[in-house]
Structure formats: structure tokens, C-alpha cells
Amino acid sequence: MTLEGIHHISAITGDAPGNVDFYTRVLGLRLVAKTVNQDDPSVYHLFYADEQGSPGAELTFFEYPGARRGRAGSGMVHSIVSSVGSTEAIEFWEHRLSAEGVATERTDDGGVRFADPEGLGHELVVSDANAPLLASHPDIPYDHALRGFVAVRAYSKRLDDSVAMLERVMGATALDETTWQVKGERRGGTISFDTPPAERAVQGAGTVHHIAWGTTVAEHPRWFARLHQAGWPTSSIIDRYYFHSIYFREPGGVLYEIADDAPGFTRDLPVEALGTRIILPPWLEERREEVEAQLTPLPDPRAGWPVGSPS
């Protein structure tokens, strides 16, 4: 069995309207689902991705209104790395982010590093390692659009044990002394480990909650069996409505998930209507009025788009 790279990454925000503005208007991702945290229906779970809501481009946020800013530390992912198609795209993003008042920094490999308004770290790199997963935006040329995840960077407090799990249980291969690749038939992704900072980790706004690795519907239960055969404690297989999930914490403290590839976001709405209304799983539908009353009103990110703009 092989894992299909990064399925999705879930983080925390204290400001859903600001979060929607940054990730849709500034970064050009599509809001493909407005739903709720199934473990706490009083808060949003927002999903951004490409036009189809594909695994490999899904960045999700739990909103806890007014949540204090967190701080990435040992046992946490601290940076999300997405691909673009060219050095010209890097220059485009450098100028676009600067125009929005977002500080940028060039990396040693020619990419660009920045953070969202709550401090969540991002990097953009030129890569054709995966097929591009693109969203449409009237102000962002397709050639410069973000193309999906290629990597995350994390802090591990038990590096040798983190590596052992990646290699022996999850089938990852070492690319160098700090980076391991998880690659399937369709997509791949890497995780790199940096030395943890001295400061204590604080989960909060602007921090990653977990990273999900992708698999197929057919192989998902086999990963559950494999983890248990390796003696690793996990959650049960949880129906997340759009996909199925297995959660476990790797030895260094990072929360991992293994998520399958069906049924996807179009089980509720056609592709052209994704993200236009709050979606609730069937077991919460009868509580819709109560649930919606607790949520922050959000604008439609695509309202007011020029007539004839891509959608």
C-alpha cells in the first residue's frame, strides 16, 4: 500500500470572515464547503481547494471566534508548502502579497515564504511533482495560480521515532537528512522536520491542527488494520461525510489523519454551486436553525465577480 501524498491540512482560525477573505480573495482558492465541526457543531469547518474540491488541495479551518493566536512548537506542523508553475509565478505572488501588506521572504530554493493574517506559515515553490489542482479567480492568471500541496514542515520532539513510523509503517522514503516523501500512484508529498523552538507550543488561531495523508476507499480499512498490527493506537474509522478518517498521533506529537477519496464535496451540491450554502450532515439537518444561529455570517466570496469570469 502507498499513501497518495497530502489529502488535506486542517488549521484553526479565530476570524472566519477574515479567513475567507484572505484565502479566497488574496490567495485565490475556492471556498468549496461551509459546514461545521462535527465534534463541535457550534463552530464552522471551512474548506478551501481547487475548483472541484480535490484531495491534494484541501485546506480546512475550524473557526473558534476570537481565539487567541497560537504558536507552533514541538509536535506541530509549522509551514504549508504549495506549488506554483514557474519563477514568474513566484514573482507574481511576491508582488501580489506585498500589495496586500503581507510580508514576504525569498527562500534558498527560490520560493517565497509568508504568513496569513493570524500567523500561519506558508511557502510557495516551483514544482511539477503533482498534476496541478487549480482554482479560478478573475485577478489571478491560471498560469500563476496555486497548484496544490507538495509538502509540510514540522517540529518533532522525537525525530528518530517520527522517522521510524514514517518509514516502517507509512512507507515513506528519505530524500535527505530532514525530509521524507510519501508518494502513491497519483500524487506525492513530503514532510520535513526542523529543530523545535525553545518556546512551548500553543494551539490556537494560526496553527495547524492536523495533516491528513490520502488513500483510496478500497485501501482505507487496510491502513486501519496496518496501524493496529504495528501496535499503534488510533481512532475508529470515522465517517466525515465527505470522506472517512483515521486519526493517530505520531511519536513526535504531530496529529496525523489518513483520509480516503470519496464521496467528496459533490455529494451535496453540483460543482458549480460548491460553497454557496451551509452544508450539514444528515444527523444535524434537523437542528439547522439552531446550528446556523451560532455561526458567524459569511459573505459569498464570488459575489460581484465580473460577468463572464471563470467559475
Side-chain angles (χ1 to χ4, degrees):
M1 294 189 298
T2 56
L3 293 168
E4 296 288 335
I6 299 168
H7 182 285
H8 70 267
I9 299 166
S10 291
I12 296 172
T13 180
D15 175 17
N19 187 266
V20 169
D21 180 71
F22 183 77
Y23 284 96
T24 61
R25 183 182 63 82
V26 179
L27 292 191
L29 301 179
R30 183 177 185 185
L31 179 64
V32 294
K34 292 185 293 186
T35 183
V36 294
N37 182 346
Q38 293 180 20
D39 299 321
D40 181 2
S42 68
V43 300
Y44 274 119
H45 194 180
L46 305 173
F47 291 77
Y48 307 100
D50 66 339
E51 284 300 301
Q52 287 73 39
S54 307
E58 294 175 23
L59 178 57
T60 94
F61 284 86
F62 303 114
E63 186 218 17
Y64 294 95
R68 67 174 180 171
R69 181 175 289 202
R71 180 175 60 231
S74 185
M76 296 174 71
V77 168
H78 65 82
S79 294
I80 298 168
V81 185
S82 302
S83 68
V84 295
S86 65
T87 56
E88 289 78 15
I90 294 290
E91 293 169 0
F92 170 86
W93 283 107
E94 200 170 32
H95 289 121
R96 182 172 177 82
L97 291 165
S98 296
E100 291 288 337
V102 178
T104 63
E105 177 187 3
R106 278 298 184 111
T107 61
D108 292 341
D109 59 1
V112 63
R113 182 182 296 121
F114 63 97
D116 81 0
E118 294 177 298
L120 179 58
H122 288 272
E123 293 181 23
L124 303 181
V125 298
V126 178
S127 174
D128 60 0
N130 294 317
L133 300 173
L134 303 167
S136 298
H137 192 286
D139 298 331
I140 300 172
Y142 246 52
D143 288 347
H144 297 339
L146 306 190
R147 298 157 64 97
F149 305 127
V150 289
V152 294
R153 302 192 68 88
Y155 298 124
S156 174
K157 55 191 173 185
R158 293 169 53 189
L159 181 57
D160 289 346
D161 293 331
S162 293
V163 170
M165 163 158 266
L166 281 166
E167 293 182 346
R168 298 172 190 171
V169 180
M170 299 173 65
T173 56
L175 298 185
D176 57 40
E177 294 180 351
T178 63
T179 302
W180 281 261
Q181 182 181 58
V182 174
K183 185 174 177 60
E185 294 182 1
R186 294 172 295 177
R187 300 188 70 81
T190 67
I191 181 167
S192 298
F193 291 106
D194 299 312
T195 302
E199 296 84 0
R200 179 177 61 88
V202 177
Q203 189 85 78
T207 63
V208 171
H209 184 268
H210 65 268
I211 173 176
W213 305 99
T215 189
T216 62
V217 169
E219 290 196 346
H220 196 258
R222 295 176 60 195
W223 279 105
F224 183 77
R226 183 168 182 164
L227 288 162
H228 281 265
Q229 288 166 3
W232 207 255
T234 75
S235 71
S236 60
I237 296 177
I238 301 174
D239 182 355
R240 290 304 192 195
Y241 193 60
Y242 298 120
F243 45 80
H244 298 83
S245 301
I246 305 164
Y247 298 91
F248 58 101
R249 202 169 290 277
E250 59 86 42
V254 179
L255 182 59
Y256 283 169
E257 174 185 351
I258 294 179
D260 67 16
D261 57 356
F265 295 105
T266 54
R267 76 175 296 176
D268 293 307
L269 296 169
V271 168
E272 60 272 15
L274 292 178
T276 58
R277 66 182 180 90
I278 296 171
I279 300 299
L280 298 178
W283 57 91
L284 285 174
E285 190 60 51
E286 64 181 19
R287 295 173 52 197
R288 174 174 287 275
E289 185 174 343
E290 170 196 347
V291 170
E292 289 192 359
Q294 300 179 77
L295 300 173
T296 309
L298 293 176
D300 177 358
R302 296 192 168 194
W305 272 26
V307 174
S309 64
S311 61

